[in-house]
């Protein structure tokens, strides 16, 4: 059931990304006609890359230096930096209402329940869940009222979005800190050895570091770009 839920959320986000691209493509002739195909091809290639990492065992064992940040998170962040540095975001930032990417961030509620499922399955410790020290579920919950304020164009919408975005990024940083210290310094949490099993480096659990977290960062940067554009 846990694997099914991982795949269900992944598929739902695939559909949302494709739908958003198709809508922008209809009103913006800057995007190539083959853009939607290229988008899904890129997402498929990234998925295959994660599967290859899983099957090859490159990410195991969980030792220092940490391999998931090097082989998974770093490439994802390099893509995000390239996407925004080259201005690829501009047609989307101009056409997508600012409240929509904020609302999509509510997917993090589902991610937090998936992480809880990982704990219940014995793959990771409770400290990494919202029953421990991972409070990112707050980001997903707050995304809904913040998106509503933006949709209604409320007077406090902009400042609320800035505060929520910064808070949410800090909560993401907290998750990264928790997972890395659990692996590299388990003594900080009262463990004698790493409490996260190597199963965490396998699909679909690898989607947490390989897609869900980078996608949340991608959306935050997108929101920052839209907020800055409105100031200009």
């Amino acid at each position: 059931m846990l694997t099914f839920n991982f795949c269900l959320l992944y598929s739902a986000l695939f559909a949302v990304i494709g739908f958003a691209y198709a809508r922008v493509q209809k009103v913006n002739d800057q995007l190539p006609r083959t853009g939607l195909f290229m988008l899904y091809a890129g997402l498929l290639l990234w998925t295959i890359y994660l599967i290859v990492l899983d099957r090859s065992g490159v990410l195991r064992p969980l030792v220092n230096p940490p391999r998931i940040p090097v082989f998974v998170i770093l490439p994802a962040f390099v893509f995000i930096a390239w996407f925004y540095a080259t201005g690829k975001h501009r047609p989307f930032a101009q056409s997508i209402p600012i409240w929509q990417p904020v609302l999509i961030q509510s997917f993090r509620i589902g991610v937090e329940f998936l992480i809880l499922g990982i704990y219940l399955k014995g793959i990771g410790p409770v400290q990494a869940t919202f029953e421990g020290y991972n409070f990112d579920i707050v980001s997903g919950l707050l995304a809904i009222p913040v998106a509503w304020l933006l949709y209604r164009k409320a007077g406090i919408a902009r400042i609320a979005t800035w505060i929520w975005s910064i808070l949410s990024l800090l909560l993401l940083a907290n998750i990264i800190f928790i997972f890395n210290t659990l692996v590299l310094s388990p003594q900080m949490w009262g463990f004698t050895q790493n409490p996260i099993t190597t199963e965490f480096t396998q699909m679909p659990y690898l989607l947490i570091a390989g897609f869900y977290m980078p996608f949340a960062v991608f959306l935050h940067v997108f929101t920052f770009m839209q907020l800055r554009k409105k100031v200009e």
Side-chain angles (χ1 to χ4, degrees), residues 58-118:
V58 169
L59 303 178
R60 299 184 289 275
L62 292 169
V63 294
N64 197 17
R67 302 180 186 185
I68 289 180
V70 173
F71 291 102
V72 178
I73 297 176
L74 181 59
F77 280 14
V78 168
F79 168 78
I80 293 172
W82 169 82
F83 184 84
Y84 288 104
T86 56
K88 302 293 184 184
H89 67 285
R90 291 190 184 113
F92 304 96
Q94 294 167 1
S95 305
I96 296 176
I98 190 172
W99 64 269
Q100 291 182 2
V102 173
L103 182 61
I104 292 171
Q105 291 269 24
S106 61
F107 84 91
R108 288 154 75 169
I109 300 172
V111 173
E112 290 308 309
F113 278 99
L114 292 177
I115 294 176
L116 180 65
I118 285 176

Side-chain angles (χ1 to χ4, degrees), residues 28 51 55 71 124 147 159-160:
N28 195 314
I51 293 172
R55 295 289 186 258
F71 291 102
I159 186 64

Side-chain angles (χ1 to χ4, degrees), residues 33-207:
R33 292 184 178 181
T34 58
L36 187 58
F37 171 79
M38 294 169 60
L39 170 66
Y40 275 124
L43 289 171
L44 180 60
L45 285 173
W46 179 251
T47 305
I48 293 173
Y49 172 70
L50 294 178
I51 293 172
V52 169
L53 289 177
D54 167 16
R55 295 289 186 258
S56 66
V58 169
L59 303 178
R60 299 184 289 275
L62 292 169
V63 294
N64 197 17
R67 302 180 186 185
I68 289 180
V70 173
F71 291 102
V72 178
I73 297 176
L74 181 59
F77 280 14
V78 168
F79 168 78
I80 293 172
W82 169 82
F83 184 84
Y84 288 104
T86 56
K88 302 293 184 184
H89 67 285
R90 291 190 184 113
F92 304 96
Q94 294 167 1
S95 305
I96 296 176
I98 190 172
W99 64 269
Q100 291 182 2
V102 173
L103 182 61
I104 292 171
Q105 291 269 24
S106 61
F107 84 91
R108 288 154 75 169
I109 300 172
V111 173
E112 290 308 309
F113 278 99
L114 292 177
I115 294 176
L116 180 65
I118 285 176
Y119 157 64
L120 294 175
K121 194 173 180 180
I123 299 172
V126 68
Q127 286 84 349
T129 73
F130 57 75
E131 291 187 352
Y133 300 97
N134 178 355
F135 309 114
D136 193 57
I137 194 171
V138 174
S139 302
L141 291 170
L142 289 179
I144 299 171
V146 171
W148 182 82
L149 289 173
L150 288 167
Y151 176 75
R152 296 298 299 269
K153 296 181 171 60
I156 63 170
R158 282 181 50 78
I159 186 64
T161 305
W162 277 109
I163 294 173
W164 166 80
S165 296
I166 294 171
L167 172 64
S168 297
L169 284 174
L170 289 174
L171 290 175
L172 274 179
N174 177 58
I175 297 173
I176 295 172
F177 172 79
I178 290 173
F179 274 101
N180 276 289
T181 52
L182 281 169
V183 172
L184 303 178
S185 303
Q187 296 79 12
M188 287 180 55
W189 303 94
F191 297 100
T192 57
Q193 60 184 6
N194 173 19
I196 301 177
T197 70
T198 56
E199 195 172 351
F200 183 74
T201 67
Q202 302 172 12
M203 292 289 277
Y205 315 116
L206 189 57
L207 291 174

